[in-house]
Amino acid sequence: DKGGWPSFMAKEVSEEPEAVAKTVLGRVKDGGIVIPELDGLDELFQGIDRVIVLACGTAYYAGLVGKYAIEQWARIPVDVELAHEFRYRDPIVGSTTLVVSISQSGETMDTLMAVKEAARLGAKTLSICNTQGATIPRESDAIVYTHAGPEVAVASTKAFVAQITALYLLALHVGRVRGALAPSVAEESIDELEALPAKIQWVLDNEQERIEQLSHWMGDTRSVLFLGRHVGYPIALEGALKLKELSYIHAEGFAAGELKHGPIALIEPGQPVFVMVPSPRGSATLHAKVVSNIEEIRARGARVIAVAEEGDAAVLPFADEVLRVPLASPLFEPLIAVVPLHIFAMGLATAKGLDVDQPRNLAKSVTVE
Ligand code: M6R
């Protein structure tokens, strides 16, 4: 039931705040993270020396974001790998490796086979999944469910923000169990997590219409580029994937620092480029570098659409459009900044008269390898 929305995707984007809230719900107690599903696993978390995250598509990008949080809060090295690539090399995995799989459906064959291979090699497996009782969680040693609710549209939206949320909960939990996380950092992070739904809602309430307008003006665009740095980089990749899958136009995400190593050659007058601008309150250096990237591409005629936090005036002289997001500390920005990109991809596909719920050639759950 679309509940009065024009598409399942529109409904699911509107549920992004709730997907985060429900994934956090019941997992914060007395100011700390409590994940009942992980009871009794402290020894496992204390004994690992490495995490490998395995997933495909949008879930893989959630994993790329999660790497920053797990490394920062739990101080364990994390590799994030496409599940279908993992199995076809000779991965170095053992009993001190924790393999975290991420899958909305829990049925993605590539991810399932990779989890089985990791288990065969002796790794401990933990599944982050949105579907109760699906195959991947059943094959795993531990499960952390996302509570995004059923996702019907082929393009993953609310499950993505719920996956990042679950990874953050896991990172905070493991960080505490390993004694790697300062209580003050845990406290601030929990506050940030709990504040997220209202911030995402703010984007939907205040920017959705403008983003939809923008996407309608851009209905005949043939290529869009997305740039990001740090946690903004996986968001750039996610923005590009969503645009490809929904509107069938060429879209590519780059790490902003990579521009001068090749992609800047693509910039010609009129080329639309989304730039995820990190908060100047996080790292002033990173912020300045991204602003200078914007200047460079603008000087070559790019049409810059900046996704920047409210009050960031540094981008104004160079950006053609600024999509505003509420302030959040750096690790939490991606959960908010991705929302304009979801709205944009949906808007552009709608402007082209395409079916946003069922894009051509794609299935919601990819159960073949
Ligand atoms: O069900 P899963 O999370 O395992 O699915 C993984 C990908 O197939 C999925 O995220 C796909 O990339 C989406 N269509 C992206 O919107």
Side-chain angles (χ1 to χ4, degrees):
D1 177 19
K2 293 181 198 159
W5 293 90
S7 62
F8 281 107
M9 186 178 176
K11 174 172 181 272
E12 288 158 10
V13 167
S14 82
E15 290 168 349
E16 291 196 49
E18 201 182 321
V20 172
K22 286 191 169 162
T23 300
V24 174
L25 190 75
R27 288 167 169 170
V28 175
K29 214 171 145 193
D30 303 328
I33 300 293
V34 178
I35 309 179
E37 301 96 302
L38 302 181
D39 273 357
L41 297 179
D42 286 8
E43 223 169 286
L44 185 158
F45 293 131
Q46 280 153 0
I48 53 172
D49 55 16
R50 188 171 165 222
V51 172
I52 301 181
V53 179
L54 299 176
C56 303
T58 282
Y60 168 72
Y61 301 143
L64 291 177
V65 176
K67 172 185 165 88
Y68 292 87
I70 301 172
E71 291 191 339
Q72 187 161 323
W73 295 332
R75 305 305 297 158
I76 313 175
V78 181
D79 291 308
V80 188
E81 195 163 346
L82 290 164
H84 36 88
E85 287 294 318
F86 175 79
R87 210 154 72 90
Y88 294 98
R89 52 187 181 83
D90 195 0
I92 303 167
V93 170
S95 59
T96 54
T97 311
L98 175 68
V99 165
V100 176
S101 65
I102 310 172
S103 175
Q104 186 287 128
S105 62
E107 302 296 344
T108 299
M109 188 58 79
D110 288 318
T111 308
L112 174 63
M113 297 316 276
V115 167
K116 285 189 171 176
E117 175 65 1
R120 191 185 69 79
L121 294 168
K124 303 286 185 297
T125 57
L126 184 151
S127 153
I128 292 181
C129 184
N130 196 46
T131 313
Q132 296 277 335
T135 312
I136 297 171
R138 277 195 278 119
E139 287 286 334
S140 304
D141 299 317
I143 314 168
V144 176
Y145 281 111
T146 46
H147 296 297
E151 194 180 62
V152 177
V154 165
S156 188
T157 54
K158 63 176 181 172
F160 176 70
V161 287
Q163 284 159 350
I164 300 175
T165 304
L167 283 161
Y168 282 20
L169 291 168
L170 178 67
L172 291 168
H173 176 76
V174 175
R176 182 188 54 75
V177 168
R178 293 171 66 94
L181 183 69
S184 60
V185 176
E187 215 172 286
E188 282 162 27
S189 306
I190 292 170
D191 288 349
E192 287 275 354
L193 270 178
E194 291 188 315
L196 275 172
K199 294 181 185 178
I200 300 174
Q201 190 63 50
W202 185 94
V203 176
L204 295 170
D205 292 344
N206 295 283
E207 290 289 58
Q208 179 146 10
E209 233 177 86
R210 213 159 64 82
I211 301 166
E212 277 169 359
Q213 260 171 18
L214 178 71
S215 61
H216 282 72
W217 294 331
M218 289 172 66
D220 56 359
T221 304
R222 296 174 61 96
S223 154
V224 181
L225 305 179
F226 294 80
L227 299 179
R229 251 190 123 119
H230 192 255
V231 279
Y233 170 43
I235 298 305
L237 298 175
E238 162 67 3
L241 174 64
K242 220 100 293 179
L243 198 57
K244 282 177 223 179
E245 92 177 308
L246 292 171
S247 65
Y248 318 150
I249 64 174
H250 171 254
E252 223 176 316
F254 300 105
E258 193 65 8
L259 257 187
K260 56 186 171 304
H261 300 286
I264 199 162
L266 287 170
I267 306 294
E268 56 185 13
Q271 170 68 53
V273 185
F274 277 78
V275 184
M276 314 310 293
V277 184
S279 162
R281 295 164 307 113
S283 158
T285 318
L286 208 62
H287 176 261
K289 289 205 159 137
V290 173
V291 173
S292 115
N293 288 143
I294 294 180
E295 288 183 59
E296 281 158 9
I297 56 173
R298 188 69 193 289
R300 289 162 179 81
R303 177 157 182 227
V304 175
I305 303 134
V307 179
E309 77 173 19
E310 276 184 288
D312 181 353
V315 294
L316 288 175
F318 311 109
D320 296 270
E321 301 280 345
V322 182
L323 306 178
R324 290 295 178 190
V325 289
L327 313 197
S329 65
L331 277 181
F332 295 87
E333 285 167 20
L335 290 123
I336 311 169
V338 74
V339 180
L341 305 191
H342 285 166
I343 299 170
F344 178 76
M346 180 167 66
L348 192 60
T350 308
K352 291 181 72 173
L354 300 170
D355 181 347
V356 295
D357 285 340
Q358 185 49 261
R360 69 183 180 202
N361 308 340
L362 289 170
K364 179 64 182 161
S365 176
V366 184
T367 51
V368 289
E369 271 189 274

